[in-house]
């Protein structure tokens, strides 16, 4: 009668495929039939009394995947449908005696399995549907082996640990495609979090790393420290509690529990900056680390917001508010707000030359005009300014502390005679030099 000190196997319909040992065949592959009443040697994979070292059984419903050695090559991925003919090596991944299956974990993913494969060049994650053609490297994570392990099915994704030269040993996740196989960078930099004991608790993934328990919702942004304690054996879930055996300085080796709480989240906003009234609508770049939608609102009449796009209606200051209320998994995010300027349009100066004042400057803005001469602000905010001296005159329009760009006009006066001057405007709205009667002014030239 075959025996096994520790059960290793998986269900296959109403049967169970498992590892057992007896004197004639050594440790080999067996199957139960008749509701467990009958036990039959399914296949002597490594003939004679040598063990086939079967392990890592995973059922996908109509077949069971496992690892085994046939005595010729190294340990490889095998599959069985419960029959002798249907029990076979899936693919000789590792050339010669190399271990094509080189870690002791494997995870179901739909009708396929994800595992660590070594093809003679490097050890990377592989995926198999039970056929040689459908057994391929999932992704080349590292230049050199990434040595993936701790494969764990959670929901419709497989989480595992792997090493990247840039990030160290970190958590990865895949849905079975190369494009979806991505890093979850728990500890920034090359240190790596070295994750192990990956389990699902609530809607989150918990794992152990360097005397700390971490958790994640499957992204770098939603990963956070759950607790600091030296875990001695696995993480297990019981209701709304994560259980584990740990060593405490005061109480010694005990069973501990950690309640499942909501994740924290933050709102991340790219600064909006100032814009000119009636300029092109602007798309706000904002997101929550939870990836939940951010609510954008304002009470200002200076702007309007529709689906995250701002339209700039009136000049002045406007405050925009951002919030995320959370859900069953995330607490509410701390609210954010940003006050922006909707600047008035750049004004236009027109000039009229006359004999009483060298020039009369007029703004096209009816109010909130701020005039400057040679960078010194003048005590004038109306739409007109009488000028009797040469210089560089500038004008801006301000609304609620939000300023337009400057428009600039340069007045150059050159004395010709006792009562005559030549006055030039740059840029020159009359496009010519004008002679007027004015008191004599010492020749002066101002350059912009």
């Amino acid at each position: 009668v075959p025996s096994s000190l520790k059960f290793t196997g998986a269900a296959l319909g109403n049967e169970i495929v498992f590892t057992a040992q007896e004197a004639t065949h050594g440790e080999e592959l067996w199957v139960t039939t008749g509701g467990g009443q009958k036990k039959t040697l399914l296949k002597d994979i490594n003939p004679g009394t040598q063990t086939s070292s079967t392990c890592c059984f995973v059922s996908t419903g109509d077949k069971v995947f496992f690892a085994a050695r046939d005595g010729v090559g190294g340990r490889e991925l095998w599959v069985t449908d419960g029959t002798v003919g249907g029990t076979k090596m899936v693919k000789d991944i590792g050339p010669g005696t190399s271990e094509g299956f080189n870690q002791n974990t494997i995870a179901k993913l739909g009708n396929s399995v994800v595992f660590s494969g070594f093809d003679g060049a490097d050890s990377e994650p592989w995926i198999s549907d039970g056929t040689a053609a459908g057994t391929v490297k999932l992704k080349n994570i590292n230049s050199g082996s990434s040595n993936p392990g701790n494969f764990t099915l959670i929901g419709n994704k497989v989480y595992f640990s792997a090493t990247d030269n840039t990030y160290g040993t970190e958590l990865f996740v895949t849905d079975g495609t190369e494009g979806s196989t991505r890093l979850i960078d728990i500890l920034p930099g090359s240190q790596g979090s070295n994750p192990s004991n990956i389990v699902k608790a609530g809607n989150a993934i918990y794992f152990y790393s360097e005397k700390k328990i971490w958790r994640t919702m499957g992204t770098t942004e939603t990963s956070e420290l759950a607790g600091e304690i030296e875990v001695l054996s696995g993480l297990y879930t019981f209701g709304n509690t994560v259980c584990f055996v740990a060593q405490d300085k005061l109480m010694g080796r005990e069973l501990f529990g950690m309640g499942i709480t909501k994740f924290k989240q933050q709102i991340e906003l790219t600064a909006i900056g100032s814009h000119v009234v009636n300029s092109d609508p602007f798309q706000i770049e904002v997101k929550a680390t939870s990836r939940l939608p951010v609510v954008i609102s304002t009470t200002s009449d200076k702007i309007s917001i529709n689906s995250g796009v701002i339209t700039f209606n009136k000049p002045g200051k406007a405050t925009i508010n951002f919030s995320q209320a959370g859900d069953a998994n995330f607490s509410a995010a701390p609210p954010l707000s940003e006050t922006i300027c909707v600047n008035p349009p750049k004004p236009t100066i027109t000039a009229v030359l006359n004999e009483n004042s060298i020039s009369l400057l007029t703004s096209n803005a009816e109010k909130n005009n701020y005039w400057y001469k040679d960078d010194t602000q003048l005590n004038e905010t109306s739409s007109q300014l009488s000028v009797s001296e040469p210089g560089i005159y500038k004008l801006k329009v301000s609304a609620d502390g939000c300023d337009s760009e400057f428009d600039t006009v340069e007045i150059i006066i050159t004395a010709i005679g006792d009562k005559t001057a030549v006055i030039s405007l740059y840029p020159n709205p009359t496009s010519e030099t004008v002679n007027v009667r004015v008191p004599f002014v010492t020749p002066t030239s101002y350059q912009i």
Side-chain angles (χ1 to χ4, degrees):
V1 177
S3 64
S4 178
L5 296 177
K6 183 178 180 180
F7 175 77
T8 304
L12 183 61
N14 294 325
E15 300 176 351
I16 297 175
V17 177
F18 64 101
T19 297
Q21 183 173 350
E22 47 87 68
T24 304
H25 301 96
E27 188 178 286
E28 286 296 343
L29 191 67
W30 288 67
V31 64
T32 65
T33 57
Q37 298 301 313
K38 185 178 180 181
K39 304 174 184 65
T40 305
L41 177 67
L42 181 55
K43 189 162 187 173
D44 190 3
I45 294 173
N46 193 349
T49 59
Q50 300 299 313
T51 179
S52 61
S53 303
T54 52
C55 77
C56 316
F57 289 83
V58 171
S59 174
T60 58
D62 60 348
K63 54 186 176 289
V64 169
F65 289 85
F66 60 98
R69 292 188 178 94
D70 62 2
V72 178
R75 177 181 280 181
E76 296 288 351
L77 183 67
W78 284 64
V79 68
T80 182
D81 62 3
T83 66
V84 175
T87 303
K88 57 188 177 181
M89 181 190 299
V90 177
K91 188 173 186 176
D92 188 9
I93 298 172
T97 59
S98 298
E99 303 279 290
F101 185 100
N102 67 343
Q103 292 284 347
N104 287 331
T105 57
I106 185 172
K108 174 183 180 294
L109 187 58
N111 291 321
S112 300
V113 291
V114 181
F115 62 100
S116 178
F118 177 72
D119 60 3
D122 50 35
S123 175
E124 294 291 349
W126 282 62
I127 189 168
S128 175
D129 62 2
T131 67
T135 303
V136 295
K137 185 184 294 186
L138 184 54
K139 186 171 185 175
N140 193 27
I141 290 174
N142 197 26
S143 55
S145 296
S146 68
N147 295 313
N150 299 295
F151 293 94
T152 306
L153 174 66
I154 298 177
N156 59 356
K157 295 181 176 63
V158 169
Y159 292 81
F160 61 97
S161 61
T163 301
D164 179 280
N165 288 337
T166 301
Y167 300 99
T169 302
E170 286 287 4
L171 191 66
F172 283 75
V173 62
T174 183
D175 67 6
T177 62
E178 181 180 4
S180 75
T181 304
R182 56 181 173 80
L183 166 75
I184 302 174
D185 192 15
I186 305 300
L187 295 180
S190 59
Q191 177 182 356
S193 61
N194 300 305
S196 63
N197 298 307
I198 304 168
V199 298
K200 181 176 183 294
N203 292 321
I205 294 92
Y206 283 71
F207 61 94
Y208 183 59
S209 165
E210 304 295 334
K211 297 185 178 181
K212 297 176 182 178
I213 299 175
W214 290 78
R215 63 178 186 168
T216 181
M217 291 296 292
T219 66
T220 298
E221 295 82 3
T222 60
S223 301
E224 64 182 25
L225 181 64
E228 296 190 47
I229 193 167
E230 185 176 357
V231 175
L232 299 178
S233 65
L235 302 180
Y236 306 93
T237 57
F238 183 76
N240 289 324
T241 304
V242 178
C243 301
F244 51 92
V245 175
Q247 184 75 29
D248 183 82
K249 292 181 180 180
L250 297 177
M251 294 178 284
R253 184 188 181 104
E254 294 288 351
L255 179 65
F256 287 79
M258 175 185 294
I260 300 173
T261 58
K262 289 186 176 183
F263 278 73
K264 298 176 183 178
Q265 62 166 325
Q266 302 291 328
I267 296 173
E268 297 178 344
L269 172 66
T270 300
I272 299 169
S274 298
H275 294 263
V276 178
V277 65
N278 297 325
S279 60
D280 292 339
F282 180 81
Q283 178 68 56
I284 300 174
E285 295 182 13
V286 63
K287 66 178 182 178
T289 54
S290 62
R291 298 191 176 182
L292 294 171
V294 176
V295 176
I296 308 173
S297 63
T298 184
T299 58
S300 173
D301 64 347
K302 307 296 189 300
I303 60 174
S304 55
I305 302 174
N306 184 19
S307 300
V309 177
I310 307 178
T311 301
F312 306 100
N313 302 322
K314 299 179 181 179
K317 290 183 178 178
T319 298
I320 307 170
N321 303 307
F322 305 90
S323 63
Q324 213 310 305
D327 62 4
N329 300 316
F330 291 92
S331 300
L336 285 182
S337 64
E338 181 175 358
T339 299
I340 67 169
C341 263
V342 182
N343 293 322
K346 179 180 177 179
T348 300
I349 301 173
T350 57
V352 177
L353 301 174
N354 57 64
E355 294 186 4
N356 298 318
S357 61
I358 294 175
S359 181
L360 180 66
L361 304 182
T362 303
S363 167
N364 66 334
E366 295 181 357
K367 58 183 180 179
N368 299 323
N369 292 283
Y370 291 82
W371 296 92
Y372 291 74
K373 178 182 181 293
D374 300 332
D375 295 323
T376 298
Q377 185 173 344
L378 304 175
N379 188 25
E380 182 60 69
T381 58
S382 67
S383 60
Q384 291 188 327
L385 178 69
S386 294
V387 175
S388 59
E389 296 179 350
I392 298 175
Y393 291 85
K394 298 192 297 184
L395 170 67
K396 72 176 182 180
V397 177
S398 183
D400 197 20
C402 299
D403 299 332
S404 70
E405 294 183 44
F406 280 103
D407 193 25
T408 302
V409 62
E410 181 180 10
I411 300 177
I412 299 176
I413 301 177
T414 305
I416 295 177
D418 184 28
K419 299 291 186 178
T420 306
V422 176
I423 303 174
S424 302
L425 301 180
Y426 296 90
N428 189 352
T430 61
S431 70
E432 64 182 349
T433 300
V434 180
N435 297 323
V436 296
R437 302 290 299 176
V438 296
F440 179 77
V441 180
T442 302
T444 307
S445 178
Y446 289 81
Q447 299 296 327
I448 296 179

